[in-house]
């Protein structure tokens, strides 16, 4: 896939001017002195002012041509063309539901940036800083677009990479434009220090941002290597390709960069800095122990950290494979397909072992016992690989999400000696995360595991560091909510409100995440009222030492789904229906869609989604036929713990029995003889021997 270039009318209408002329405003031939400021103000149409900035989200859709003309009139033609090019390229991105929304957001941000630039030139203040700002914006946006187009061209032979390239391109552009809007908002002399600090911050971030841009899709740094390997060491036949696809097709969602992941699945910039550096040092230090276990209580952010680690390793060409366990999916709740999945990813990564994995996969090894899978698919092929000193890291997340404790115990017992054997050829590393469950903790205390593993306890990290990270997370997302829902409000949220939220989180990222989802719910669009409700909860002024604030938040979300009228005769019935539905959602073995839930619990059509709608901050509720899923296990933990949930308690034993009865009732009502309608008969009903033989 190759993204189209911007239309000719946008490309070469005016001569390109240098962005590096020290005494010129970027994209112009104009000096930046005070006389120019007056001339710029006189050129700016009077209809562009602070009101237009405030109303930007609703008004700009019909004004892109006007904005570009105003930028051209100000001599900012280079910047104008880059903005147009960004909008053209993002509009050409192949659409899916997520991309559609992101494209609209980016186009809106482009227009906001344009208006803020015009507004700033009208004010005519801090022009030297404005020059640096516009130059930085222009350079970074142009680099992003150019790198995206190059990666798309390189990925033509690798369509499986294209989705990730598109998604990460949109995320990178959004990040740059949001920074630009923030920079241009500091347009007053009294805010010069704040603006200078923000520019310096953006300059520091530019290296990181451009590094992300240069590797727009995790793993695309290997495209040239992969294409070369495909030519030099191509598979012997299409059958070989089919074998590898058959291994991986059943567990695609176990990869860290599966298509459903978004930017919110990774650590926010400038958070978890010390921990991520420690993990990076572990991966690169030859003398470090080969296994790194990151353990932490529910809600401390283990999976987000694991995805970020995998992403960074992939960008450095150090990631061998990743597998993320999940109770929500059958293939990810067991260890049955862990080693086949890892083997497939290793075969893609290391061409020299591909044929050995293919040879093993053609037998019944993928359905064999775990030790056979590990030896045949991973250990033996890696022993035959070309020796390498650079690290090859395998990431496994959420071992506690495996439904069978014995399976995880067996896997850990097998991995420790296997890694020692592989290290004779390959510098292999294993990064794993889990809750500190007894069966996992006890295994890491075994002598054979202790000597090869390092342990980091996430909830024991210095509280001041975690607090600072949660503060950044809350501040970043509340600012985004304010821009989207409160464009005319400049003083929300107050600093004391943000501080109170950080206090309530008490080190739990899941509290911050659920709070943001609840406050920023796009269906209700009441961020001020919802934030006030959280802060006014009974425990909000107390020091939390456990999960009580999270429990209070979950209770508020539940109670918000009930009718407001206390005298409603149906209130109790509604309450029980919600408990019944939530009990089914959180306890059913395999997640079900809204329509499937309706059929199972025998409700009328289109009744489930309205009841679940208030739970968007804790449940993923996609359109049919996609299943309803729980965002984080802490929510079912709350509902099924009587001490924590009180009258909201869902008894697992009682509800499992009820679900079983519902399943049997449903089967009794829909199962019938000859389900497919092919007219088949039982053998006992056929008297003719020849007919019986023919049917066999």
């Amino acid at each position: 896939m190759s993204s189209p270039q911007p239309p000719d009318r946008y490309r070469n209408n005016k001569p390109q001017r240098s962005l590096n002329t020290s005494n010129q405003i970027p994209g112009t031939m104009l000096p930046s002195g005070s006389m120019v400021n007056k001339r710029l103000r006189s050129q700016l149409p009077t209809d562009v002012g602070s009101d237009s900035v405030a109303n930007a989200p609703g008004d700009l859709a019909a004004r892109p041509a006007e904005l570009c003309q105003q930028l051209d009139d100000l001599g900012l033609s280079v910047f104008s063309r880059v903005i147009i090019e960004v909008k053209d390229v993002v509009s050409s991105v192949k659409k899916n539901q997520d991309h559609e929304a992101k494209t609209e957001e980016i186009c809106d941000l482009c227009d906001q940036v344009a208006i803020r630039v015009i507004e700033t030139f009208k004010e005519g203040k801090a022009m030297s800083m404005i020059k640096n700002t516009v130059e930085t914006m222009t350079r970074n946006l142009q680099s992003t677009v150019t790198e995206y187009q190059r990666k798309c061209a390189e990925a033509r032979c690798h369509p499986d990479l294209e989705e990730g390239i598109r998604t990460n391109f949109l995320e990178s552009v959004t990040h740059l434009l949001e920074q630009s809007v923030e920079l241009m908002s500091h347009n007053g002399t009294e805010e010069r220090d704040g603006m200078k600090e923000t520019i310096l911050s953006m300059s520091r971030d530019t290296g990181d941002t451009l590094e992300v841009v240069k590797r727009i899709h995790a793993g695309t740094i290997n495209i040239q290597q992969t294409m070369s390997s495909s030519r030099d060491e191509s598979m012997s036949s299409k059958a070989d390709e089919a074998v590898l696809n058959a291994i991986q097709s059943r567990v695609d969602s176990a990869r860290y960069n599966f298509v459903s992941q978004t930017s919110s699945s990774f650590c926010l910039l400038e958070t978890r800095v010390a921990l991520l550096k420690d993990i990076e040092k572990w991966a690169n230090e030859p003398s470090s122990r080969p296994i790194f276990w990151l353990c932490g209580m529910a809600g401390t952010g283990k999976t987000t950290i694991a995805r970020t680690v995998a992403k960074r390793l992939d960008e450095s060409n150090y990631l061998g494979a990743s597998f993320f366990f999940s109770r929500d999916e059958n293939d990810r709740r067991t260890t049955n397909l862990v080693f086949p999945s890892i083997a497939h990813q290793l075969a893609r990564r290391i061409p020299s072992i591909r044929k050995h994995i293919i040879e093993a996969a053609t037998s019944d090894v993928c359905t064999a016992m775990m030790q056979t899978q590990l030896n045949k698919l991973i250990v033996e092929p890696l022993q035959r690989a070309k020796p390498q000193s650079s690290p090859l890291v395998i990431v496994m997340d959420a071992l506690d999400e495996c439904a069978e404790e014995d399976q995880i115990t067996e896997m850990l017992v097998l991995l420790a000696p296997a890694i020692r054997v592989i290290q004779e050829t390959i510098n292999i590393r294993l990064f794993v995360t889990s809750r500190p469950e007894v069966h996992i903790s006890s295994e890491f205390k075994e002598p054979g595991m202790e000597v090869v593993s390092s342990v980091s306890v996430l909830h024991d990290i210095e509280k001041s560091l975690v607090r600072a990270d949660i503060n950044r997370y809350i501040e970043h997302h509340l600012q985004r909510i304010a821009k989207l829902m409160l464009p005319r409000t400049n003083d929300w949220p107050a600093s004391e409100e943000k501080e109170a939220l950080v206090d309530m989180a008490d080190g739990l990222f899941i509290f911050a995440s659920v709070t943001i989802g609840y406050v920023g719910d796009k269906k209700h669009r009441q961020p001020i009222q919802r934030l006030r409700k959280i802060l006014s909860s009974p425990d909000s002024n107390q020091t939390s030492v456990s999960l009580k604030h999270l429990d209070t938040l979950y209770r508020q979300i539940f109670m918000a789904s009930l009718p407001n009228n206390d005298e409603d005769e149906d209130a109790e019935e509604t309450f029980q229906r919600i408990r019944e539905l939530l009990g089914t959602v959180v306890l059913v073995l395999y997640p079900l869609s809204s329509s499937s839930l309706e059929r199972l619990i025998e409700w009328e059509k289109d009744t489930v989604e309205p009841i679940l709608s208030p739970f968007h901050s804790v449940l993923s509720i996609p359109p049919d036929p996609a299943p309803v899923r729980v965002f984080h296990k802490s929510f079912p933990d709350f509902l099924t713990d009587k001490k924590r949930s009180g009258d909201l308690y869902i008894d697992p034993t009682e509800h499992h029995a009820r679900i079983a009865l519902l399943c049997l009732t449903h089967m009794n009502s829909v199962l019938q003889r000859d389900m497919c309608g092919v007219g088949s008969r039982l053998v006992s009903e056929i008297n003719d021997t020849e007919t019986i033989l023919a049917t066999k």
Side-chain angles (χ1 to χ4, degrees), residues 269-443:
L269 192 67
E270 296 302 321
T271 62
R272 303 292 198 183
V273 175
L275 176 61
L276 292 172
K277 282 185 177 179
D278 287 344
I279 297 170
E280 182 181 359
K281 181 180 179 181
W282 161 81
N284 286 280
E285 181 60 52
S287 61
S288 61
R289 296 178 177 182
I291 299 177
F292 191 109
W293 177 36
L294 179 68
C295 72
M297 298 184 301
T300 49
K302 299 181 296 297
T303 295
T304 302
I305 293 169
R307 285 202 184 98
T308 304
V309 168
K311 183 174 183 288
R312 292 190 174 191
L313 290 169
D314 205 356
E315 291 168 352
S316 303
N317 199 22
Y318 291 161
L319 181 68
S322 60
F323 194 97
F324 283 62
F325 286 91
S326 172
R327 292 181 184 271
D328 286 345
E329 296 182 29
N330 187 42
D331 288 342
R332 295 169 61 190
R333 67 168 65 226
T334 74
T335 60
N336 295 343
L337 293 175
V338 171
F339 294 135
S341 176
I342 290 174
H344 174 271
Q345 295 176 56
L346 290 173
R348 295 291 187 191
R349 177 73 68 179
I350 309 173
S352 63
I353 68 171
R354 185 177 299 159
K355 65 178 182 180
H356 304 302
I357 291 177
I358 290 172
E359 290 171 359
T362 54
S363 64
D364 295 333
V365 69
C366 292
T367 56
M369 57 190 298
M370 199 185 309
Q371 184 171 7
T372 302
Q373 288 184 354
L374 177 59
N375 289 336
K376 297 295 183 182
L377 291 174
I378 297 177
V379 176
E380 292 178 8
L382 286 176
Q383 283 182 303
R384 301 180 185 180
K386 297 176 181 177
Q388 65 177 59
S389 58
S390 58
L392 181 72
V393 185
I394 295 172
V395 175
M396 289 186 184
D397 175 67
L399 302 188
D400 53 282
E401 290 280 303
C402 181
E404 299 294 333
E405 294 182 2
D406 290 344
Q407 288 187 343
I408 286 297
T409 300
E410 180 186 358
M411 187 182 75
L412 291 173
V413 169
L414 294 172
L415 280 171
I419 285 178
R420 285 197 294 266
V421 171
I422 296 171
Q423 280 203 310
E424 296 176 4
T425 306
I426 300 288
N427 182 16
I428 194 168
R429 302 297 172 93
L430 177 64
F431 178 84
V432 297
T433 74
S434 76
R435 295 188 187 186
E437 304 290 358
V438 174
H439 66 287
I440 298 174
S441 299
S442 60
E443 206 51 54

Side-chain angles (χ1 to χ4, degrees), residues 11 86 112 137 157 187 243 289 375 379 403 510 552 608 644 665 681:
R11 285 208 292 261
V86 168
Q112 287 189 50
M137 286 190 294
C157 299
N187 61 350
V243 169
R289 296 178 177 182
N375 289 336
V379 176
I510 188 60
T552 300
V608 162
R644 294 173 60 188
T665 303
R681 291 182 292 169

Side-chain angles (χ1 to χ4, degrees), residues 541-561:
N541 60 352
Q542 301 177 20
T543 301
S544 173
V545 293
S546 61
L547 299 173
K548 66 181 179 183
H549 287 312
L550 183 61
D551 293 351
T552 300
L553 180 56
Y554 283 150
R555 175 172 288 275
Q556 287 177 345
I557 293 170
F558 193 110
M559 300 310 292
S561 67

Side-chain angles (χ1 to χ4, degrees), residues 1-6 11 85 88-94 145-153 156 165-166 169:
M1 181 195 77
S2 177
S3 297
Q5 295 291 325
R11 285 208 292 261
E85 184 175 11
D88 282 344
V89 172
V90 299
S91 297
S92 72
V93 171
K94 183 178 179 182
V145 171
T146 301
E147 191 65 20
Y148 166 68
Q149 292 170 336
R150 185 174 72 83
K151 291 301 180 187
C152 284
R156 286 173 182 168
I165 293 174
R166 287 192 291 266
F169 165 68

Side-chain angles (χ1 to χ4, degrees), residues 26 84-85 154 242 260 331 387 516 535 630 648 657 682:
I84 292 171
E85 184 175 11
E154 291 177 348
S260 64
D331 288 342
I516 294 301
L535 295 175
V630 178
L648 308 182
L682 298 176

Side-chain angles (χ1 to χ4, degrees), residues 549-601:
H549 287 312
L550 183 61
D551 293 351
T552 300
L553 180 56
Y554 283 150
R555 175 172 288 275
Q556 287 177 345
I557 293 170
F558 193 110
M559 300 310 292
S561 67
L562 299 175
N564 294 325
N565 187 356
D566 294 335
E567 299 180 357
D568 188 346
E569 296 179 356
D570 299 327
E572 179 61 26
E573 180 183 350
T574 302
F575 175 76
Q576 295 302 333
R577 281 171 65 86
I578 294 173
R579 286 182 69 251
E580 177 185 354
L581 179 56
L582 286 178
T584 306
V585 169
V586 303
L587 293 175
V588 71
L589 184 60
Y590 305 114
L592 299 175
S593 65
S594 296
S595 60
S596 295
L597 287 166
E598 288 162 356
R599 291 195 296 272
L600 177 64
I601 59 183

